[in-house]
Amino acid sequence: MVVSGCSTHSLAAAEAELGGPGQAVGVVADNADNADNAAPGTSDRLIASARGPFKGLDSALISVGGPPTGTTDAVDDDQWRASFESGFLGAVRLSRVVAAQLDEGGVIGFVLTTSVYEPIACFAISNAPRPALSGYANTLAGELGPRGVRVDGLVPAHIGTDRTLELQSITGDADRTAAFLLSPAAS
């Protein structure tokens, strides 16, 4: 299994948790660096990391980090561009390269958020690209389905992470937000 992330420290922890050398390979990568003109591109590095030790590529789970919080009047154009580049276009680029490599039975999964169903207060910058990514995943599913490649959009309930606590605290009603964001199992 290949796992990627922006932090060497978090990758080392993920590698260890997934079984260590021979079971998991960590690659420092950022979807925002996945530009078509990047050399070598993030997608190519990730695929090469799977093809090398694991001799193939049969699936990809694409998850992007959370953008900065803020209301629509507090988010500037540069923040919108950066978040759209990593949270939407980075995932689209990676999925295109992966899709070209997958054979029948392959799977591409996108980790989405509950904002695909209902906007999250004080999280304007996520409330736009996440539903767009869900729409893209549905479109891609229709295109790849005839080849026998499945595309899934996963919307896990929130769990009690530092990021979830941050979201709760900025809404002004942490208890109401916790009830909306967290599954009963997170308590």
Side-chain angles (χ1 to χ4, degrees):
M1 169 185 304
V2 174
V3 61
S4 69
C6 296
S7 160
T8 303
H9 176 72
S10 64
L11 283 174
E15 284 176 346
E17 190 171 322
L18 294 169
Q23 297 297 312
V25 173
V27 178
V28 175
D30 183 346
N31 282 347
D33 296 336
N34 201 18
D36 291 330
N37 61 355
T42 296
S43 302
D44 295 334
R45 288 188 303 114
L46 292 171
I47 289 170
S49 295
R51 291 209 178 275
F54 303 109
K55 309 291 187 237
L57 176 69
D58 57 15
S59 63
L61 179 63
I62 301 171
S63 179
V64 297
T69 58
T71 57
T72 57
D73 60 341
V75 177
D76 66 33
D77 287 355
D78 289 336
Q79 290 172 307
W80 280 106
R81 279 186 201 93
S83 293
F84 189 77
E85 183 68 35
S86 65
F88 180 79
L89 287 177
V92 167
R93 288 184 193 113
L94 180 55
S95 71
R96 282 194 314 234
V97 174
V98 167
Q101 302 287 320
L102 292 177
D103 294 323
E104 185 174 347
V107 180
I108 298 173
F110 293 93
V111 178
L112 305 169
T113 71
T114 56
S115 67
V116 302
Y117 301 125
E118 182 176 339
I120 301 171
C122 299
F123 214 25
I125 211 162
S126 182
N127 292 334
R130 301 295 185 168
L133 189 57
S134 176
Y136 169 77
N138 284 329
T139 301
L140 188 63
E143 294 172 358
L144 298 181
R147 284 185 26 212
V149 175
R150 192 176 80 231
V151 178
D152 296 320
L154 309 169
V155 183
H158 291 264
I159 57 174
T161 65
D162 289 342
R163 179 70 169 169
T164 303
L165 294 174
E166 174 191 356
L167 292 175
Q168 288 175 265
S169 69
I170 64 169
T171 63
D173 189 348
D175 292 337
R176 180 175 176 273
T177 304
F180 174 74
L181 290 178
L182 298 176
S183 77
S187 302

